[in-house]
Amino acid sequence: MSDAMLQDPQDPQDPQDPQDLQDLQDAQDLRARAARLDAEDPLAKHRERFTLPEGVVYLDGNSLGALPAGVPGAVADVVHRQWGELLIRSWDESGWWTAPERIGDRVAPLIGAAPGQVTVGDSTSVNLFKALVGAARLAAPGRTRMLVDATTFPTDGYIAASAARMTGLDLVPVDPSEAAAAMDDRTAVVLLNHVDYRTGRLHDLPALTAAAHAAGALIVWDLCHTAGALPVGLDAHAVDLAVGCTYKYLNGGPGSPAYIYVAERHQGAFDSPLPGWNSHAEPFAMTPEYAPAQGAARARVGTPDILSMLALESALDAWEDVDVEAVRAKSLALTDFFLECVAAYVPAGAVEVVTPLEHAHRGSQVSLRTDGARAVMTELISRGIVGDFRAPDVLRFGFTPLYVGFADAERAARTLGHIFG
C-alpha cells in the first residue's frame, strides 16, 4: 500500500474546492445523524454493561466479545471464595455440578430453545463432533451421505470429514445456495453455518431445515456467528441439533465453553461418540458399564472448566431484559448506516462490499474486499478502529448492538475513507 493511501485522518480545515465543501457538509450531516440515532436508541444504555477501552471503536465482537462489567468481580468470587475457601464443597454448595445445564438454560432463549435442550461445555469443535456423529447414528438406515457447507470455517470441515469416516458416510461439500437441491434419499446428515464467517451472508435456516427434513435427513447448524446477534428459532423451525461458541456475541471471554443443542425429541436416542463420566446416569457409581443420563446432560463428557464456565454465567447477565428482536433491528440499522457512510467517505472503487445488502441475507457484520487488506486493517487499528482481516483480501467489521453505536459506525467509515485519501 502506497504512502499516498495513508492520509492524515483530520477533515479538511479550510476547503476551497466546491467538492471539498460538499464533502465536509456531508460528513457533518452523517455525524449529526449518528448522534441523533444514538440518542434515540433504546439499547444504547446497555453499553454501560461492558468495559471498553477509551477512544477505541471495537468492531471485532464477531471474533471476541467485549468484557461485561460484572465478570471480574464474579471471577474473583469464584477464585477466592468458592475455590479458595469452600474448595471441594463448591461442587454442591456453589452449584458447580449443575452449571452446564443451568447456564445452558440461560443460552437457550437467545437461540430460541426451550429449557432442557442446551448444555454448556467443551469447545465448539468437540461439540460439533458429538453432534455430527450423534446425528449420523440417529439417521435412517441405508443413508450414505453427509452434506457439509463448502464455504465453512475450516475446523467444521475437518471435524465433518472425521465424523464421516467414523460413521461410514461419504462427505459431500456443497454451496449453501445449492444445498437444498443436493438433499435426497441418500442424505443422512446436513451441516451448515447460519452465517458465512468471511462474507457475513445469512443462510435461510427455516427453509434449509425444512428441505433436510423433507429429504428424510437430520440437520446440524453452526450458530457461532448468530447467537446473540439475531433470532434463531431452533424450536420453532424444528432444528435437530446445533452448536455454537460463547466468546463472540455472547461475550463469554476468550476460550469460553461452547454449547450443544439436542432437540428434546432426539434426546432419548442421542448416542454421543464421547461418553464420559459426567454424562453417566449415575456418575458417582463409577460402574464399568456406561448408561447415559437423561436430557441435555447426556451431551456432557468430562469435568467442566469451572472458571470459564462461571465467567460465562456472569457475562450472560448483560442479556437481562434484552429482546433479541430489538438487537436484530439495531444490527440491521447499524450495518445499513455503516454501508451508507462507507459509500460517502471511501473513494469509489477502493473497496467492494461482499456482504449481502438484503436484510434477509445479512448477518451482523460487514465485509469489504480491497487490495492490501492486511495493511489497511493494521492502519485502522493504529487509529483506534478495531476490526479484523481475513485472507486474502477481506476487511471484517462486526456490529455488536449491545455496545456499538451509530457514532462508532460513522467514525469507522470516516477513518477508512481517510486511509484511502
Side-chain angles (χ1 to χ4, degrees), residues 275-319:
W277 79 286
N278 255 234
S279 64
H280 198 285
E282 297 184 62
F284 293 98
M286 303 298 176
T287 60
E289 297 81 18
Y290 178 74
Q294 296 300 306
R298 71 168 53 197
R300 291 171 66 158
V301 184
T303 306
D305 183 338
I306 291 298
L307 297 181
S308 290
M309 184 84 67
L310 299 186
L312 168 63
E313 184 170 34
S314 175
L316 291 171
D317 290 345
W319 287 91

Side-chain angles (χ1 to χ4, degrees), residues 378-400:
T378 298
E379 182 65 19
L380 278 169
I381 292 171
S382 76
R383 300 185 186 195
I385 310 298
V386 180
D388 71 5
F389 159 77
R390 284 293 180 267
D393 56 2
V394 172
L395 306 171
R396 291 197 321 170
F397 302 93
F399 289 84
T400 46

Side-chain angles (χ1 to χ4, degrees), residues 202-252:
L202 173 66
H203 300 305
D204 192 339
L205 181 147
L208 289 165
T209 300
H213 292 167
L218 287 91
I219 193 161
V220 179
W221 283 96
D222 182 327
L223 307 178
C224 285
H225 286 269
T226 50
L230 52 86
V232 178
L234 294 182
D235 286 353
H237 303 301
V239 167
D240 299 298
L241 300 105
V243 301
C245 65
T246 62
Y247 50 79
K248 300 182 190 293
Y249 296 102
L250 298 181
N251 312 295

